[in-house]
Amino acid sequence: MENQLTKLNIFSVKGVQMRTFHITWLMFFVCFFGWFGLAPLMPTIRAELHLTKGQVGNIIIASVSATIIARLIIGKLCDTWGPRKTAIRLLLVGSLPVFFVGLAHDYTTFLLFRLAIGIIGASFVITQFHTSMMFAPQLKGTANAVTGGWGNLGGGVTNMVMPLIFAAIVGFGYTKAEAWRYAMIVPGVMMLVIAYLYYKYTKDTPNGNYDEIGYTQGKSTKTDWRVLADWRIWALTMAYAMCFGMEITFDNVASLHFVDSFHLSQSQAGFWAGIFGFMNLFARALGGIVSDKVGRKFGMRGKGLLLAGVLLFEGLGLTLFAQSGTLLAAIVSMLSFALFLKMANGATYGIVPFVNTKNVGLVSGIVGAGGNFGGMLFGFLFKSNAITYVQAFTYIGYTVIAVAVIVFITRFYKQTIPSTETDPVIAGSMA
């Protein structure tokens, strides 16, 4: 596509490409903030609504389940409507359950609101699709990883900030039962602001919006489900289930785990859970950068081996975290597996845009949905009364290692990566 950037200047907002780059990661950040805004407040919500471990598990499952279907739909809408219209409509519709979850006063109603909020997790697909439209092939992995990582950072910030917002509201004289409800108004407002920015300052492509340049004219609007016959897509889907699926699971359970296992306060638990999310500031981007560099030197086979390697280390780190007997050991092992987990996120989407260039949105949606499907399955482990959180983390670690082996034996190199005489430049200090 014409006018795609071959240089990523992270401090620039010049041109529609860089404006879109910054607004689309910020959009995902805000959606992630709203998506997991309730997670660090769950110790309070659990006590107020008298939730059992099984009910908390169902809420965790619900929070990621709706996103599975939503990501498949959003991927297709990006191909047909364009990412700009898709993002604006998702933000407007998705803000409603974020605003109104405070009306829930029993388990069932809260569960339904948590399910509805999950649709905003599909914003990730828009971010990856939109970034892919703005950058040249040799830079897609890096650009996707940066936008995805900075968007995922919302999961870390919300774990730190929402308990502070909650505490501030309590400080004004409101009860804890009222405070968590009013706190959720904040991400709802943020989503409306981003919807306006997306409308005002972005375009679908570097050359204009779909309807302005006739981008979809002559293109088939029928979904090409033949992509499902490509094993590489399933391998990437499983890989993303293991990395992003584990990430959103940890975002959901980390505060509860630190409160229950190490007897921390809600604010302290939120802080350490937030540190996990803050790794996205650089770790996912690092995965994409390394993936692009490996790809230029060793092709798609190199990208696949990199993904298998970081998944292996993620699995090993998870098993160590599960066996941590002290808070210090837990934090150190958490940071270790978090690094490789988030690098795996970036390395996965360093491959996705090249698997089927005619159906990038659909493939992004399928692989993205795989991440949430993994999170949903992991949620059943944390729901069970027969399995402790420690055992659940251990089982997930073993599963991640098994998928690393599957990725290792998968051949990703049917399609070559366009090369340039010089490496793309990333301006600014990323590391």
Side-chain angles (χ1 to χ4, degrees):
M1 180 179 293
E2 294 180 5
N3 299 321
Q4 288 184 325
L5 293 185
T6 57
K7 178 180 178 180
L8 175 57
N9 186 347
I10 60 172
F11 298 114
S12 172
V13 290
K14 293 181 180 179
V16 67
Q17 299 94 332
M18 289 310 302
R19 286 200 304 272
T20 298
F21 170 85
H22 286 294
I23 291 173
T24 198
W25 77 253
L26 190 58
M27 181 267 298
F28 184 39
F29 176 98
V30 168
C31 285
F32 218 110
F33 191 99
W35 187 13
F36 290 99
L38 292 166
L41 306 181
M42 280 304 294
T44 295
I45 297 169
R46 178 176 62 179
E48 190 220 331
L49 300 183
H50 308 291
L51 302 176
T52 65
K53 182 183 179 185
Q55 289 173 330
V56 171
N58 287 336
I59 290 166
I60 292 172
I61 293 168
S63 70
V64 299
S65 297
T67 319
I68 299 172
I69 303 301
R71 287 191 172 190
L72 292 172
I73 295 172
I74 290 297
K76 179 59 180 175
L77 292 178
C78 283
D79 283 326
T80 53
W81 285 355
R84 178 173 170 271
K85 285 183 180 178
T86 305
I88 294 167
R89 293 170 184 179
L90 180 64
L91 287 163
L92 295 177
V93 173
S95 68
L96 297 178
V98 174
F99 276 123
F100 296 127
V101 66
L103 299 176
H105 288 276
D106 57 61
Y107 161 68
T108 302
T109 310
F110 185 80
L111 180 72
L112 292 175
F113 272 112
R114 200 70 185 91
L115 182 70
I117 289 173
I119 67 169
I120 62 179
S123 55
F124 166 75
V125 177
I126 302 171
T127 292
Q128 297 296 282
F129 183 93
H130 215 169
T131 305
S132 293
M133 299 294 284
M134 295 295 167
F135 292 90
Q138 67 271 17
L139 198 58
K140 289 184 191 295
T142 298
N144 279 343
V146 175
T147 53
W150 290 0
N152 283 356
L153 185 62
V157 173
T158 197
N159 269 307
M160 290 183 171
V161 172
M162 287 299 281
L164 299 179
I165 295 174
F166 169 87
I169 295 173
V170 171
F172 281 113
Y174 293 94
T175 66
K176 290 183 178 181
E178 294 170 327
W180 74 259
R181 292 176 163 84
Y182 292 137
M184 287 301 290
I185 295 175
V186 174
V189 171
M190 292 164 65
M191 291 174 67
L192 297 183
V193 172
I194 296 300
Y196 173 77
L197 294 179
Y198 227 101
Y199 169 79
K200 185 75 174 177
Y201 296 108
T202 71
K203 296 286 186 180
D204 289 321
T205 76
N207 302 312
N209 294 320
Y210 278 14
D211 51 3
E212 295 171 347
I213 62 174
Y215 184 81
T216 58
Q217 291 181 5
K219 294 181 65 176
S220 173
T221 58
K222 187 176 180 180
T223 303
D224 186 5
W225 294 113
R226 291 176 299 175
V227 300
L228 297 179
D230 190 338
W231 169 252
R232 296 173 302 168
I233 292 175
W234 290 109
L236 291 171
T237 300
M238 285 189 287
Y240 207 57
M242 295 301 104
C243 51
F244 186 73
M246 183 57 221
E247 176 167 2
I248 57 179
T249 298
F250 198 80
D251 283 334
N252 263 323
V253 305
S255 287
L256 288 171
H257 177 63
F258 285 127
V259 167
D260 295 343
S261 298
F262 302 104
H263 311 293
L264 302 184
S265 69
Q266 181 170 275
S267 295
Q268 290 172 328
F271 173 80
W272 289 115
I275 292 296
F276 170 84
F278 256 88
M279 296 286 284
N280 278 306
L281 188 62
F282 69 93
R284 182 164 184 151
L286 180 62
I289 292 168
V290 175
S291 180
D292 278 348
K293 288 185 177 294
V294 168
R296 288 194 296 275
K297 190 169 184 179
F298 300 105
M300 293 301 291
R301 178 58 174 166
K303 282 177 172 270
L305 291 176
L306 171 68
L307 177 57
V310 289
L311 283 172
L312 174 64
F313 284 111
E314 176 200 339
L316 293 174
L318 261 171
T319 57
L320 290 175
F321 174 79
Q323 304 305 318
S324 298
T326 65
L327 178 62
L328 177 60
I331 297 303
V332 172
S333 56
M334 178 190 76
L335 295 178
S336 299
F337 87 75
L339 172 64
F340 294 110
L341 177 154
K342 296 169 194 299
M343 285 186 67
N345 285 338
T348 301
Y349 272 82
I351 297 174
V352 165
F354 303 101
V355 172
N356 190 311
T357 55
K358 294 182 179 179
N359 294 279
V360 175
L362 180 59
V363 174
S364 293
I366 292 171
V367 176
N372 285 84
F373 186 70
M376 183 189 74
L377 293 180
F378 296 154
F380 283 102
L381 293 176
F382 292 96
K383 170 187 175 181
S384 173
N385 287 317
I387 300 174
T388 66
Y389 277 18
V390 169
Q391 290 173 318
F393 284 125
T394 302
Y395 297 154
I396 295 171
Y398 292 154
T399 306
V400 173
I401 293 171
V403 171
V405 174
I406 293 174
V407 172
F408 176 78
I409 63 177
T410 299
R411 296 187 174 188
F412 290 104
Y413 49 89
K414 288 182 180 179
Q415 197 167 341
T416 58
I417 304 172
S419 60
T420 57
E421 293 181 2
T422 58
D423 288 348
V425 177
I426 305 170
S429 56
M430 287 288 299

